[in-house]
């Protein structure tokens, strides 16, 4: 499902520093149709991307559900089944004629909601390394991922190792 990873990448981009060209590339990577962000669209998508962080950084299942409900409320979603281009039946969250920001809002809010049903409230996370802007969809086997990358995990392991209280000699 496209929604959760698209949401994670947009939320991470907003935290790193929003950039229109990179945002369009992210949309293109996720095969969002007509991904160009003309006029005020980039600012509108940036604002949405900032809101997308909440479900990833939520501390527990209830607050994660609340955060996704808020997103669902502000996304105009008109779900329909589609079989275009020979695909198996799958869900489209928005009408094809909607502008790209409205479509992305519907795809990310609806996708996060369905994902969270299937994951039983888990598998969305924000990197634990202080100052790291990345959020992620946890596709690990045991669902225990805490860092965006091995690099961030190693950084924290080294730092813990170097805390003065634990140094010998
Ligand atoms: Zn489709
Ligand atoms: Zn990280």
């Amino acid at each position: 499902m496209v929604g959760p990873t698209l949401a994670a990448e947009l939320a991470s981009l907003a935290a790193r520093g929003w950039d229109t060209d990179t945002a369009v590339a992210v949309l293109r990577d996720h095969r969002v149709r007509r991904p160009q962000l003309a006029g005020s669209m980039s600012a509108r998508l940036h604002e949405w991307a900032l809101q997308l962080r909440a479900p990833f950084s939520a501390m527990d299942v209830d607050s994660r559900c609340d955060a996704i409900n808020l997103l669902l409320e502000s996304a105009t979603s008109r779900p329909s089944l589609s079989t275009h281009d020979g695909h198996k039946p799958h869900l489209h969250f928005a009408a094809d004629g909607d502008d790209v920001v409205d479509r992305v809002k519907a795809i990310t809010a609806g996708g996060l909601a369905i994902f969270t049903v299937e994951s039983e409230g888990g598998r969305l996370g924000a990197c634990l390394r202080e100052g790291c802007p990345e959020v992620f969809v946890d596709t690990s086997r045991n669902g225990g991922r805490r860092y965006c990358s091995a690099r961030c995990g190693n950084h924290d392991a080294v730092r813990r190792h170097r805390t003065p209280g634990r140094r010998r000699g």
Side-chain angles (χ1 to χ4, degrees):
M1 183 178 295
V2 160
T5 55
L6 176 57
E9 290 195 26
L10 290 174
S12 297
L13 178 62
R16 281 199 302 267
W18 188 256
D19 167 71
T20 302
D21 289 344
T22 312
V24 172
V26 168
L27 299 184
R28 201 166 271 138
D29 280 352
H30 288 80
R31 299 209 219 138
V32 172
R33 292 188 224 188
R34 306 188 309 279
Q36 294 75 22
L37 296 168
S40 62
M41 284 179 180
S42 182
R44 282 169 57 216
L45 189 61
H46 182 196
E47 196 182 313
W48 180 252
L50 292 168
Q51 295 176 53
L52 284 175
R53 190 172 188 83
F56 293 92
S57 57
M59 299 304 284
D60 56 52
V61 172
D62 284 348
S63 45
R64 174 163 297 136
C65 291
D66 289 345
I68 294 173
N69 283 338
L70 273 179
L71 297 176
L72 286 169
E73 238 170 73
S74 50
T76 356
S77 183
R78 267 167 293 170
S80 64
L81 286 169
S82 181
T83 55
H84 63 89
D85 299 322
H87 290 300
K88 289 184 197 159
H90 62 281
L91 208 48
H92 278 194
F93 291 101
D96 198 44
D98 289 352
D99 83 28
V100 63
V101 179
D102 285 341
R103 280 181 284 126
V104 169
K105 285 173 78 166
I107 293 165
T108 48
L112 284 167
I114 288 185
F115 179 84
T116 297
V117 170
E118 287 173 356
S119 71
E120 301 181 353
R123 294 189 174 269
L124 300 176
C127 183
L128 216 62
R129 177 180 165 184
E130 207 183 314
C132 179
E134 302 293 312
V135 298
F136 53 82
V137 178
D138 182 354
T139 53
S140 67
R141 205 187 170 108
N142 64 2
R145 187 169 160 196
R146 293 156 72 214
Y147 295 96
C148 69
S149 59
R151 196 167 156 265
C152 277
N154 291 338
H155 176 274
D156 263 15
V158 168
R159 208 183 52 158
R160 274 197 304 277
H161 189 69
R162 282 186 186 154
T163 46
R166 295 182 55 191
R167 193 176 284 161
R168 289 181 205 174

